[in-house]
Amino acid sequence: MRRLAAWSVLLALAVGCAPAAPPPTAQVLPAGLAVRAEEGVDRVALLDPEGRPVLTRRLPAPTDEVVLDWAWPRAGTWTAEVTTARGPHRLPLQVEAPAPPLVARVEAPLGQDPVPLVDGLALELPLVDGRPAPVALTVRAVRPGPVEVQLGDERQQAVLSAGERLTVQATVGLPTALRVEGGGLSLQGRVLPQDTRLADLARDLSISSVVLPADAEGRADLSRPAGRVALPAAWWRTLQEGLGLGQRGRDPWAPWAHVGVQVDNRSEQPRNVLVRLAVQDEEGRPAPAFAPRAREGTTSAGAVQALLRVPARGSARATLPLFVDEGLLPVEVARSQTWTRTVEVLPLGLPDAVATDRQPLYVSRGSTVASLGLVAAVAAALAGTAMLLRWGPRWLGRARTSELMTISLFGSLTFLVGAVGRLLTVGLATVLGPFATFLTALVDDALRYTLLATLICLLPRPGTASLAVLVGWLLSGFVLGTFSPTDLLFVGGRVLWLELCLWLVGATRGAAWLDQAPWRRWLRLGLGLGLASVLASATGLVLHVTLYRLFLAGWYVAAVLALPGFLYVLLAVGLAVPFAHSLRQVQR
């Protein structure tokens, strides 16, 4: 146990001593400034060479990249003051020349990363099977004045204010001239179409994985069943809303989950593509229950889409929102219908997909196991509370003062071990997330069950375990302020399962079993505490699922019940039996 505690401390220290994020960086643009920081930028201030502030931007939320428009009036050493979560940073900026009167960028095809227009630019435009593609030429005025923009036969003139933009679009299938004039500056270039076969794109681009449900970063959400939309039962949602129990406000415009799509590129050129997500019913029509609610990035066919740049010989991941209207998915519809989730990768400006992934999408509404488990959990909590009210005064009255002191001592130790264990393993919980319980339970639950098993060996009678649990619960509530209305459900159920299972295996019906062989003592006490732990963990998981709207995968529930719920308890009892035997020898 000392080694486990030492390893936990070392892991927590390792997490605390992990290398910090690199400092922010700033890049001088011809008519602006780009600031990047992995930990997020909160505020940017620009100071001129004399140290006077000339521009300040405060972000509503930290973001990893900020681009500011700024017309550099003169060359020199400027300063950017960047504020992140780690504090302020001063970044020197070397400005080589004043800002030009205007800045022009070309999108070829439309939606591609903009390319700055410099005089003499020859920009290749990939055309799939020779079909023309839209191109956009955008000019931003750095200083006010007249501007003329020409893209092929399309030409526009305007008088722009500082910061104002003018965009010209055209469908290009042949070599096309680019021209921008304004403020004494003249820029010219050409767009050169290059024929690309659709079959070549289909060979180079592929969908390697689709993760559903996923988080906002496109990573798998392990707390929910994979490939399935799991919704709570309608009757339970109505009961929650009526009683205000466990109900948390949810933004109706927020997605139910996200879908992570990874696209691989086997070519030697980076590709900009459109990734599209749609859900159809059994007749192939857009499913109203999954219609997107956000206007940006949606199509008239009920699909959501996002632009993605896939590097050469690399891969990139797109994250698309999945909207669910629970009101259109009653139980009978969820059980009788199957939907199809379709993910497509399309070249920019073309309707033909070069990669497609279709999988059935199932919807489960409510859970019979969870409903029955909820009834059992509430019944166990009520029975455990009634047992305490009925037998608690008798247990206290029949016990000697020394025995009550022993119970209080072990109950206090269980609280102390639990609090210290959670403190030592907080680093693991941060790193491992939902999997942390498989390691933290070795320090937390295992030590608490070791103390509880030792106490039962010293005082093998009804009420010993319950009184120790109550002492630990009261200390946790008064010291840490963890009291909540749901405690009656969790504590009452644990009291019932402990007393019932220990009585069934004979651990609290007499002390004769303490004189048996060590392995028989371990087996009797291990079965009693192990079964009680499994039942308490199962009802606890059901309560968390129903009260706090959690979605737990079946394999995760089985692993929690098998390892921390049962196996760790057997290991704890194995440590407690010889220790308790030595204490009984001293007691005699």
Side-chain angles (χ1 to χ4, degrees), residues 69-155:
D69 293 337
W70 176 250
W72 304 103
R74 56 193 170 98
T77 302
W78 295 61
T79 303
E81 290 186 348
V82 181
T83 303
T84 65
R86 288 190 297 155
H89 305 264
R90 292 180 64 89
L91 306 177
L93 307 172
Q94 191 62 41
V95 179
E96 302 295 339
L102 55 84
V103 177
R105 295 178 177 271
V106 186
E107 296 181 47
L110 185 63
Q112 189 94 332
D113 290 344
V115 176
L117 176 60
V118 296
D119 199 35
L121 174 69
L123 182 61
E124 293 184 356
L125 171 65
L127 299 181
V128 180
D129 291 340
R131 287 178 282 188
V135 175
L137 175 58
T138 301
V139 175
R140 178 173 65 86
V142 178
R143 300 184 183 90
V147 174
E148 182 177 353
V149 183
Q150 182 177 356
L151 172 58
D153 296 332
E154 299 292 333
R155 177 185 302 176

Side-chain angles (χ1 to χ4, degrees), residues 242-268:
L243 300 179
L245 178 63
Q247 179 69 18
R248 294 180 293 178
R250 180 173 180 267
D251 185 0
W253 299 99
W256 178 82
H258 292 84
V259 179
V261 182
Q262 181 162 319
V263 181
D264 295 340
N265 180 15
R266 290 181 287 271
S267 70
E268 300 294 339

Side-chain angles (χ1 to χ4, degrees), residues 41 59 87 169 206 243 252 269 286 313 342 394-395 479 578:
V41 178
L59 284 305
Q169 296 185 15
S206 62
L243 300 179
Q269 300 293 330
R313 294 281 180 185
T342 302
R394 182 176 300 182
W395 292 338
V479 175

Side-chain angles (χ1 to χ4, degrees), residues 154-370:
E154 299 292 333
R155 177 185 302 176
Q156 291 190 24
Q157 295 179 342
V159 178
L160 302 181
S161 303
E164 194 174 358
R165 288 173 169 80
L166 177 63
T167 300
V168 176
Q169 296 185 15
T171 301
V172 176
L174 298 173
T176 303
L178 305 171
R179 187 173 63 88
V180 173
E181 293 185 0
L185 181 67
S186 178
L187 301 175
Q188 296 187 8
R190 290 177 64 81
V191 175
L192 304 177
Q194 300 291 329
D195 191 23
T196 301
R197 297 178 57 192
L198 186 65
D200 294 337
L201 288 177
R203 183 185 65 250
D204 295 337
L205 296 171
S206 62
I207 301 175
S208 58
S209 67
V210 177
V211 180
L212 170 67
D215 58 17
E217 301 297 328
R219 296 184 294 261
D221 187 350
L222 300 179
S223 64
R224 295 179 173 183
R228 176 181 295 271
V229 175
L231 303 175
W235 66 268
W236 177 245
R237 177 58 58 81
T238 303
L239 181 63
Q240 283 184 321
E241 293 176 353
L243 300 179
L245 178 63
Q247 179 69 18
R248 294 180 293 178
R250 180 173 180 267
D251 185 0
W253 299 99
W256 178 82
H258 292 84
V259 179
V261 182
Q262 181 162 319
V263 181
D264 295 340
N265 180 15
R266 290 181 287 271
S267 70
E268 300 294 339
Q269 300 293 330
R271 301 293 187 185
N272 289 274
V273 296
L274 191 69
V275 183
R276 180 179 296 170
L277 167 68
V279 179
Q280 297 91 13
D281 58 18
E282 295 176 340
E283 298 180 359
R285 298 174 300 188
F290 301 93
R293 299 189 178 113
R295 294 182 179 179
E296 183 178 358
T298 61
T299 68
S300 58
V304 293
Q305 55 191 16
L307 293 174
L308 182 67
R309 181 175 179 83
V310 189
R313 294 281 180 185
S315 61
R317 181 169 55 194
T319 303
L320 301 169
L322 177 65
F323 296 89
V324 178
D325 188 345
E326 298 183 21
L328 299 179
L329 295 172
V331 177
E332 57 273 10
V333 173
R335 291 179 178 177
S336 61
Q337 292 189 15
T338 302
W339 293 265
T340 301
R341 183 267 303 152
T342 302
V343 175
E344 296 177 323
V345 176
L346 302 91
L348 293 181
L350 294 179
D352 302 320
V354 295
T356 304
D357 184 274
R358 289 188 178 89
Q359 294 293 333
L361 179 63
Y362 301 99
V363 177
S364 57
R365 190 84 201 232
S367 171
T368 303
V369 175

